Amino acid sequence: MTERKVGVYICHCGGNISDYVDVHKVRDVVESEDGVAIAKTTMFACSDAGQQEMIDDIKEQKLDGLVVASCSPKLHLLTFRGVAKRANLNPYQYVQVDIREQDSWAHREDHEGATEKAIRLVRAGIAKVRQSQPLKPTEVETVKKALIVGGGIAGLRAALVLADMGIYVYLIEREEKVGGWASKFSVMYPHDKSGKELIGELLSEVAKRGSKITIFTNAELLKKGGYLGNFDITVGIGGDTNEAETINLKVGAVIVATGFDTYKPKQGEFGYGLKGVVTLPEFKAMVEASDGKLEYDGQQVKNVTYIYCVGSRQKADVENANTYCSRYCCNAAIHTSTLVSKVDPTVHQFHLYRDIRTYGKYETLYEETQKMGSVFLKFDEDEPPVVDSSDGTLRVRVKDLLTDREEIEIDPDLVVLVTGMVPRENAGLTNALKIPLGRDRFYNEIHPKLRPVETVIDGVYIAGAAQGPKNSSESVASALAAASKAAGLVMKGYTELQPLVAYVDPDKCEWCGLCAEACPYEAIEKSTDEQRGKEIATVTGMLCKGCGGCVPVCPTDAIQVKDYEDHTIMDAIDALLEEV
Amino acid sequence: MTVGNKENEEFAPSILVFSTDSISDPGIDLAGSSHLAYPSTVSVISLPCSSGIKPKWILHAIEKGFDGVFIAADGTDCPFLPDCTTRTAKIADTAQSLLKEKGYDPQRVKMGAICSVCAEPFANHMRNFFNALQKIGPAKKGGGKDGI
C-alpha cells in the first residue's frame, strides 16, 4: 500500500473521448486503485472551470500526485503542469495519460476495447505517478536569433517584428527574390494597394533595420541539428548546382513561412486546355495587364463565366483529392469581378458556384459585384457545369439550383476556373525539419485553436499559407503569432530543460566506463567515491540530455534516467496487464 | 477484447509499444487524429529515446503477459544520438536472445522506425504485427507455439 494521495481526472473532451470511451466506467474502476484519493470525470479538463476544480481538490485534499487522462501530452502537458504548480504541487508529480489520440480516436469502432484500454492506460499513469518524485527543471541559455524560412508577406512581416523586439533575424528564400505571391498581386482588398506596393513597403522597412535582418536568396534549409533554443541550421546557397555553398547558422527558433502553390487543373477538367479556359491567377494577370478594355487572343471579352471550387472540396475518391475548402478563392474571384466591372462595365459576368464563402468584410464585396451586374448560379456538386467547344463555340451548360434546376447555356468568351491553394512542394524542408503534414498535406499545427502556430518540434513554428489556405491578412496575423511565440522563447535568454536526466546509484556502480562511452555529450565522468572507497560514474546534469542511451549498457543496472527507472517502467507494464 | 489467453480464433494479441516522446509518439498521435484504426489491445509507453530501452523490460512485458513488444524507434530522426538506429537494433537483438533463452519466440519483439509523421506506417505495423502474433499464439506459458 502506498501513502500517496493521487487525484485522477478523466476528461470527456466534449465527446471526443466520451463518445467512444465509457469515462464513467473508467472512473469507477480506477477509483479503487492503490493511492487514489479522488477520481472524477470532467467535461473539459483544460477549461478554466476544469482546471480550478483540480486546483481546489489538490489543495483541499492535500493531493501529492495528479493524473489527467485526456488528450496527447503534446497538447496539454504544460497546461496541467501549470495546474499542479498553481496548486503548489510539484509539476513532475503530474502524469498525463493520452486516451484521445492513442485511444478514442484510434479505436472508434471498438467502444468496449477503447474503454478497457483507457482503464489500463490510466492504471499505468497512476502507477507512474505513485513513483514520481518532486523535480526541478534545468535552465539552458537560448540563442537570441531566429531563422525564417520563406520571404513572402508572412516571412517578411515576422522578420520585422522580431527585429523590432531586438532579435537577430536570418531570412532564407528559395527564389531569387523575396516577396512571394503577394509581390505579383495587383490591387488588393480592402486597402486597394497593390501587392507590389505592400511588399515594397515591407522591404524598405527591412532595409531600415540594417544588420538586424539578414536575407539569403536562392537559399534552402538543408539540415537541422541541436535543440529548442539552440538549433544548428545548415543552409545551402545557390540552388542545387555544384557551386552551392553551405553556411551554418545558430538560432534559437525557426519560423516556417513557405506559402502555397495554386491548383493546376488537369487537362480537360472543366474544359481546361480548351481555348478560352483559364485559371483565376491567369485571368487576374490579364485583368491587371488590360488597358481600358479586356482582351483575349486579340478579341474583346464581353462575357466571362467563372466556375468555383475547382481543385477544392473534391470528393475523397479523386486521386490526391483536395477535400478542403481553400477559403480565399470566393473572395478572390468576386474581387476580380469587381475589377473587371471597373475596367469595362458592359462585360457580362456569370458566377457558377457551389457555396459562397465571403466572410467578414468580403460580404460587402459580394453585394457590390451583384449590384454591378454579376449573376450568380448555384450548381449541385453531383451535377457540375460542363464546358465544351465541340461545335467551335465555347459553351458552358449548368443546371441552376436557384431556378429549380433549369438548364442554362452560356457562350462565354472566357471561362475562368476559380482554383484554390495547394501545399507547396517542400519535401526537402519537411524532411530536414520533421514537421508533420496534416491530411490536407499542408504543415500541421499542434492545435488549430489552442496552439495554432506551434509544431510538435519544440522551437519550430509555422506561419502563413504554409499551414493551410489563408489570405494575406490572415497570413500576416499568423506570422505575428509565430513571431511572438519565437520571441517568447528566445528573449528570456534561457529555457527550461526537463530535469529528467540520468543519475547513478553509487552502491551498484563498479566503474566500467561503458556508460561514458555510450554518451556522446560527455555528460558522464569517472569520479572517486571516498565514502565507499571506489571509483564510480558521475553524471553532469547540465550536459545530460536525458536520452537514456547509457541505461541499457550498464551491466549492474546502476544508471537510470529520472522518471524512467526500472521500477517505474515495470510497474507501468504490470498495470497495463491487470485484468479489466 | 480482453488481454490474455483465449481461444485462438478470437485471440486478440496484446502489444506493448515503446515509443519516443519527440519522434514516434507524435506519429502514433497522428494515426489517432487521422482516425486510422488499429487494434485496441495496443498500448504505448513513451520514453525519451528508443536507445534507452532495457532488454529486460521487454522480457518482463512478455513474461507478465504481453504477446508482443514493438519498438517504435527514432531511426535517423533521433534528436539525441546519431547512431540511434544501430543502438536500438542492438537492444532489439539482445531482447530477442533473452526471449529465446526463456523459450519464447523471438518474433514477439519487433522494431520499426516510426517518424513524427509516420501515422500510416504505424497503423500498418500494428495490424501486421497483430496478425503475426495471432499465428504465434498467446505468450502465456503453453499458450502459443513457442515450444514452452
Side-chain angles (χ1 to χ4, degrees), chain B residues 42-59:
Chain B
V42 173
S43 306
V44 176
I45 291 181
S46 178
L47 303 166
C49 166
S50 50
S51 294
I53 300 168
K54 277 190 171 179
K56 73 171 193 183
W57 298 343
I58 295 171
L59 178 66

Side-chain angles (χ1 to χ4, degrees), chain A residues 72-74 98 100-103 105-110 112-114 116-117 120-121 128 226 431 434-439 444 456-457 498 517-521 545-552 557-561 564-566 569-574 576-577 579, chain B residues 1-4 14 16 18-26 28-58 60-61 64-66 76-77 79-82 87 90-91 115-117 140:
Chain A
S72 164
K74 279 29 170 210
D98 181 356
R100 195 179 72 174
E101 282 82 349
Q102 295 191 5
D103 191 13
W105 280 353
H107 314 303
R108 295 189 306 162
E109 306 298 326
D110 180 10
E112 201 189 323
E116 290 187 7
K117 178 170 173 177
R120 294 196 297 269
L121 292 174
K128 196 164 184 211
N431 196 35
K434 298 294 173 199
I435 41 180
L437 303 177
R439 265 184 295 177
N444 216 6
V456 289
I457 310 299
Q498 295 212 63
E517 268 173 49
C519 179
Y521 303 105
K545 310 279 184 219
C547 66
C550 52
V551 173
D557 288 329
I559 196 159
Q560 314 244 30
V561 173
Y564 300 99
E565 288 95 345
D566 284 337
I569 301 292
M570 291 193 190
D571 276 9
I573 292 171
D574 294 348
L576 285 172
L577 285 166
E579 280 299 323
Chain B
M1 280 186 242
T2 313
V3 181
S14 55
L16 175 66
F18 281 111
S19 77
T20 70
D21 293 332
S22 59
I23 307 297
S24 56
D25 222 33
I28 298 170
D29 279 356
L30 192 62
S33 335
S34 314
H35 300 321
L36 298 174
Y38 54 87
S40 64
T41 47
V42 173
S43 306
V44 176
I45 291 181
S46 178
L47 303 166
C49 166
S50 50
S51 294
I53 300 168
K54 277 190 171 179
K56 73 171 193 183
W57 298 343
I58 295 171
H60 179 84
K64 284 298 181 87
F66 272 105
T76 48
D77 297 344
F80 302 108
L81 306 164
R87 291 182 189 224
K90 203 177 151 200
I91 290 162
C115 70
S116 56
V117 291
K140 272 197 179 165

Side-chain angles (χ1 to χ4, degrees), chain A residues 440-452:
Chain A
D440 55 8
R441 302 186 301 281
F442 286 92
Y443 289 130
N444 216 6
E445 65 288 320
I446 291 185
H447 190 286
K449 294 188 185 81
L450 302 172
R451 296 171 74 183

Side-chain angles (χ1 to χ4, degrees), chain B residues 106-138:
Chain B
Q107 306 226 37
R108 292 191 185 278
V109 180
K110 211 175 149 46
M111 166 184 164
I114 300 292
C115 70
S116 56
V117 291
C118 290
E120 212 150 321
F122 175 74
N124 289 337
H125 268 303
M126 287 307 105
R127 290 182 211 124
N128 295 339
F129 194 28
F130 185 88
N131 293 338
L133 288 168
Q134 267 186 327
K135 290 195 186 99
I136 300 175

